[in-house]
Amino acid sequence: MNDQQHVVKQHDWSCADARVLYAMDKWADGFYSVNELGHVSVCPLEGQELHIDIMDVIREARSEGTSLPMLIRFQDVISSRVRRLNHKFQMAIRESGYKGTYRSIYPIKVNQLQEVVAEILEAGQEFNIGLECGSKAELLAMLPLITDETLLLCNGVKDRTMLILMLNAQQLGQQVVPIIEKYSEFEHLMSLAETRQMKPRLGVRLKLNTKGSGRWFESGGTSSKFGLTIPELVKLIRQLEDRRMAKQLELLHFHLGSQIADIQVLRSAIREITQIYADLMLRGMHIKYVDVGGGLGVNYGGDYDTPESSINYGLREYANVIVYTVKEICDERQVPMPHLLSESGRALTAHHSVLVVPVLGVHRPDSLPIADFLADAPAVVSRMAAVFRDAQSAQKSNMLLECYHDAQEIRQETEQMARLGYLSVEYIAQSDSLYWSICREVLRKLAAAELVPVPAEQMELEKQLTDMYLGDFSVFHSIIDHWAIGQVFPVMPLHRLQEKPERRGQLVDLTCDSDGKVNKYVSMSGTSDFLFLHDLRRDEPYYLGIFLVGAYQEILGDAHNLFGRVDEVHVYARAEETNGFWIEELLKGISVKEMLSQVQYFPNDLGRRMSEFIRRQINAGRIKPAEGTRILNNYTQRLGDTTYCDSYFEESS
């Protein structure tokens, strides 16, 4: 928090200061910046200096009928991420002299939306990218999309139906590989294959001794939910050897978790899996692939002690650790080098989506103008006014702290008198307004003094004087991982960044849940409890962007308070287009009637019931027929609205 204050207070403001204040170097990864207009811009194309102003996208989308909040997908960012990942592995393979190849695999559970998967497949075509699915629905969705050359790995719990689908795909010549997670799956697969007189292709996931790192550490290690133990692996291999099917085991797989925070943990797991691979190859097996699983992390900008939000390595180091470690062991054991696979999902999709959140209003402790103070105020109010004058004149930190302590004592006395009925509402309001004015004055001067160490009172005041900015969105739908696991997402204003933001704010959502707020923010020194924001201007919108929401959030989001899917805008960068982009597609979010239908409130039935109720009121003489018709029409029209507050500032009938 001190670092942020230092930036805001030390010198004249510039757009470069905004990039520093919101720690964009930590999380933007070269895709997001601030332009000379003070707007956040996107540079989606790898190696090109084409920048798209997000405010231009919002204006164009709004002109075409899109509602707020909106999710903007910069589809070219996905392509850039796919190319960047594959190029890093190609470089590592070339520089190390590795004798195998690399293929990236996209696990669709990260974001199953068709347009996301299609963009990844198109971008990854030159790299022969593969897919991974983990459920029956995902498998059925992917089978028609893959070519004969696309590798489709099938993880997760597999029932008879799924195993039959996989065998059918293999009969059709598709590169579908079931990854055995439980020994019983192997038995069922072999039984079904035997009835077809097939030799099925398969892989196995192993429970390594190496545990994962970060929040999802239990995905690795011997106590993980999925995977075969080493004794089970040996048992499976013996079965294959007895059936003369040793060549059918094509793949060894492990998974350390969704976000690997520590590169050394990955290195340890790769050494372990490669030693197992070498043993099996020396035994006479013909394993083609070593799959290092998911977990390529994304730096959301948080502290290193919050591993769900930060990592201690970059993409190049990630690729080098995998390639060089496998090569080293294969050279030592004198076995062929396998083809390498990694299941990167978060790293491919997180950066491409931005949630645009309009601010609907601000709540802060109210202060009455000094002129409103009554001359005949009780002594307790007069004493508070005297402390306020002292705070205005005080310059030394010890004097400021004394004013704050005095104000706290007087406030306690005021509260006690109010409970006993000795103070009127007017005097309570005066005392409370003076108290907050004292707090603001003390904090302003303490922050300017840049004291080291920071007084505890200053940190207490920073927390007390944080405004609540009401955003038109739902934490539980759009960034559920923030509520569920404390995931930090970068949040910042999308415009007005040429101005110094001097309000301390927390972003709260529309839901009636006290947890519906963003209470951790990316800062230069790690994370902060507040975000520097601008004062709202009358009749002028104020937009915040929540970044890196392209992985998991849309699929995991729930419908708390029946807030559902927001409008989507799909954007492609094109230098020849006005403002450097074109909107390929606009997708409307879920309507009120669609959301109600999901919880068994059907619009036709609701309309009928409301019509009958209004008719009874007309018959009872409470309203006139024309007024009843107007009210009914308004009700039925609202059923087609967005679930969010797009018309918050508009007069509604």
Side-chain angles (χ1 to χ4, degrees):
M1 288 186 286
N2 266 359
D3 291 340
Q4 286 187 313
Q5 291 164 0
H6 183 75
V7 169
V8 173
K9 300 294 182 181
Q10 186 176 350
H11 53 71
D12 293 336
W13 186 257
S14 70
C15 292
D17 293 318
R19 292 192 289 270
V20 175
L21 178 64
Y22 297 109
M24 297 183 77
D25 286 346
K26 284 188 175 183
W27 56 266
D29 207 13
F31 292 112
Y32 297 98
S33 187
V34 179
N35 63 25
E36 66 278 1
L37 298 175
H39 300 169
V40 177
S41 63
V42 187
C43 184
L45 297 175
E46 195 84 19
Q48 297 188 31
E49 289 300 314
L50 176 61
H51 293 266
I52 299 171
D53 190 320
I54 292 182
M55 293 300 293
D56 288 338
V57 177
I58 295 172
R59 279 190 288 267
E60 184 167 329
R62 292 287 283 157
S63 71
E64 296 187 25
T66 302
S67 300
L68 292 164
M70 72 172 69
L71 186 75
I72 303 178
R73 296 188 189 281
F74 294 99
Q75 302 288 67
D76 299 292
V77 172
I78 295 177
S79 302
S80 294
R81 296 294 296 181
V82 169
R83 286 192 290 272
R84 191 179 293 184
L85 172 64
N86 282 274
H87 287 157
K88 292 299 182 184
F89 269 95
Q90 289 176 347
M91 182 185 301
I93 287 172
R94 184 171 58 252
E95 291 176 351
S96 67
Y98 192 84
K99 298 299 193 293
T101 64
Y102 167 77
R103 292 173 72 175
S104 55
I105 306 292
Y106 175 63
I108 68 167
K109 68 179 181 181
V110 174
N111 194 326
Q112 297 101 332
L113 294 175
Q114 190 274 336
E115 56 268 22
V116 173
V117 176
E119 189 67 36
I120 287 173
L121 285 175
E122 182 177 349
Q125 190 171 4
E126 64 177 296
F127 307 108
N128 204 13
I129 197 169
L131 299 173
E132 182 270 341
C133 63
S135 70
K136 188 184 302 182
E138 291 181 350
L139 175 60
L140 287 166
M142 293 302 104
L143 285 173
L145 300 184
I146 61 175
T147 68
D148 292 348
E149 301 302 318
T150 306
L151 192 60
L152 177 60
L153 307 184
C154 303
N155 289 312
V157 177
K158 306 166 192 65
D159 61 10
R160 176 184 174 87
T161 300
M162 289 183 68
L163 291 172
I164 289 174
L165 285 168
M166 295 171 202
L167 291 174
N168 289 344
Q170 290 186 8
Q171 285 184 301
L172 291 171
Q174 291 179 304
Q175 308 300 305
V176 176
V177 181
I179 308 301
I180 302 302
E181 312 255 13
K182 303 287 185 185
Y183 192 82
S184 58
E185 291 177 355
F186 170 70
E187 295 176 323
H188 292 151
L189 178 67
M190 299 309 293
S191 176
L192 291 169
E194 188 174 358
T195 62
R196 299 172 177 229
Q197 298 182 339
M198 285 181 62
K199 291 185 176 181
R201 304 172 61 184
L202 69 146
V204 295
R205 174 174 172 174
L206 298 179
K207 293 183 179 181
L208 301 182
N209 290 315
T210 304
K211 291 184 178 180
S213 67
R215 179 171 294 276
W216 297 274
F217 72 94
E218 290 184 343
S219 296
T222 55
S223 61
S224 62
K225 179 179 177 182
F226 292 114
L228 301 185
T229 63
I230 298 302
E232 287 174 324
L233 172 65
V234 172
K235 181 180 177 182
L236 181 148
I237 289 170
R238 288 174 179 172
Q239 284 290 318
L240 289 175
E241 289 171 338
D242 290 345
R243 296 168 184 257
R244 297 183 180 179
M245 293 186 185
K247 293 183 179 181
Q248 302 310 114
L249 179 58
E250 298 185 358
L251 182 149
L252 294 182
H253 168 52
F254 71 86
H255 181 60
L256 291 180
S258 176
Q259 168 109 335
I260 299 172
D262 186 354
I263 194 67
Q264 297 305 332
V265 174
L266 177 64
R267 191 191 306 272
S268 176
I270 292 170
R271 294 191 67 85
E272 188 175 351
I273 194 77
T274 308
Q275 294 290 4
I276 295 170
Y277 161 81
D279 283 344
L280 298 185
M281 293 297 288
L282 293 172
R283 181 179 177 133
M285 306 297 289
H286 294 78
I287 296 168
K288 297 179 181 178
Y289 305 106
V290 169
D291 181 354
V292 302
L296 171 56
V298 168
N299 194 343
Y300 291 87
D303 301 304
Y304 283 117
D305 59 355
T306 55
E308 63 277 358
S309 302
S310 64
I311 55 177
N312 67 355
Y313 56 91
L315 181 54
R316 178 172 182 172
E317 184 178 2
Y318 175 82
N320 284 343
V321 163
I322 293 170
V323 171
Y324 280 88
T325 303
V326 175
K327 180 181 186 298
E328 176 189 347
I329 293 174
C330 288
D331 284 342
E332 289 176 355
R333 302 290 300 274
Q334 297 184 345
V335 296
M337 297 176 195
H339 300 299
L340 300 173
L341 308 175
S342 72
E343 300 177 10
S344 300
R346 185 189 299 271
L348 297 186
T349 61
H351 290 80
H352 89 284
S353 289
V354 181
L355 180 69
V356 178
V357 176
V359 174
L360 303 178
V362 180
H363 172 76
R364 58 176 60 105
D366 292 327
S367 296
L368 294 173
I370 299 297
D372 289 348
F373 296 139
L374 302 178
D376 58 347
V380 68
V381 179
S382 298
R383 286 164 51 207
M384 190 72 87
V387 174
F388 175 57
R389 289 191 293 271
D390 291 341
Q392 287 181 306
S393 61
Q395 297 300 325
K396 294 183 178 180
S397 59
N398 61 331
M399 296 290 293
L400 291 166
L401 294 176
E402 183 177 345
C403 289
Y404 177 51
H405 297 153
D406 290 344
Q408 286 181 306
E409 181 181 358
I410 297 170
R411 193 185 194 204
Q412 291 176 357
E413 185 178 343
T414 303
E415 291 172 350
Q416 181 66 20
M417 292 179 67
R419 282 191 289 268
L420 296 174
Y422 295 144
L423 284 181
S424 69
V425 172
E426 284 287 342
Y427 293 133
I428 295 171
Q430 288 184 20
S431 180
D432 202 49
S433 296
L434 282 166
Y435 173 78
W436 289 114
S437 297
I438 293 166
C439 289
R440 293 188 188 282
E441 184 71 7
V442 170
L443 179 58
R444 182 182 67 83
K445 291 180 177 179
L446 288 176
E450 299 182 357
L451 301 175
V452 179
V454 178
E457 291 88 346
Q458 181 177 340
M459 292 187 285
E460 185 178 303
L461 283 168
E462 287 170 351
K463 188 172 183 179
Q464 289 183 22
L465 294 173
T466 297
D467 303 329
M468 288 188 289
Y469 281 62
L470 175 62
D472 190 5
F473 82 116
S474 165
V475 165
F476 304 96
H477 183 269
S478 293
I479 51 170
I480 192 171
D481 272 349
H482 182 77
W483 167 77
I485 62 172
Q487 177 80 61
V488 176
F489 292 94
V491 183
M492 65 180 294
L494 294 174
H495 57 138
R496 294 179 58 185
L497 294 168
Q498 78 280 18
E499 306 170 31
K500 183 187 298 184
E502 296 188 297
R503 304 297 308 190
R504 294 173 177 82
Q506 276 196 348
L507 179 60
V508 299
D509 72 1
L510 296 175
T511 68
C512 61
D513 197 306
S514 59
D515 286 341
K517 62 182 178 180
V518 182
N519 54 18
K520 286 292 180 184
Y521 302 90
V522 177
S523 74
M524 294 173 294
S525 57
T527 57
S528 172
D529 296 333
F530 65 86
L531 188 69
F532 276 112
L533 297 169
H534 303 88
D535 267 317
L536 297 192
R537 294 172 178 164
R538 184 181 296 274
D539 300 324
E540 182 178 315
Y542 187 54
Y543 298 127
L544 302 180
I546 304 179
F547 295 82
L548 307 191
V549 297
Y552 292 105
Q553 304 317 299
E554 300 164 71
I555 299 303
L556 293 177
D558 73 6
H560 189 24
N561 277 153
L562 300 185
F563 290 109
R565 190 181 68 249
V566 305
D567 284 18
E568 287 187 22
V569 182
H570 298 178
V571 176
Y572 282 92
R574 293 293 183 272
E576 63 273 15
E577 296 288 340
T578 303
N579 297 322
F581 69 92
W582 66 287
I583 294 178
E584 180 218 23
E585 191 171 14
L586 301 173
L587 298 177
K588 295 299 292 182
I590 196 167
S591 66
V592 171
K593 62 183 178 182
E594 291 170 328
M595 181 59 76
L596 289 174
S597 295
Q598 291 186 8
V599 288
Q600 310 302 310
Y601 295 98
F602 300 106
N604 289 340
D605 180 57
L606 292 173
R608 176 184 59 80
R609 289 172 181 268
M610 180 59 81
S611 178
E612 291 174 353
F613 176 76
I614 291 174
R615 188 180 300 113
R616 290 196 298 271
Q617 306 311 304
I618 293 172
N619 293 338
R622 292 188 176 91
I623 58 173
K624 295 179 179 180
E627 185 71 4
T629 299
R630 184 190 66 80
I631 293 173
L632 179 61
N633 288 339
N634 179 265
Y635 175 82
T636 55
Q637 289 172 6
R638 297 289 75 80
L639 288 171
D641 285 352
T642 172
T643 59
Y644 295 90
C645 295
D646 188 46
S647 301
Y648 189 82
F649 290 112
E650 298 175 9
E651 185 177 344
S652 181
S653 58

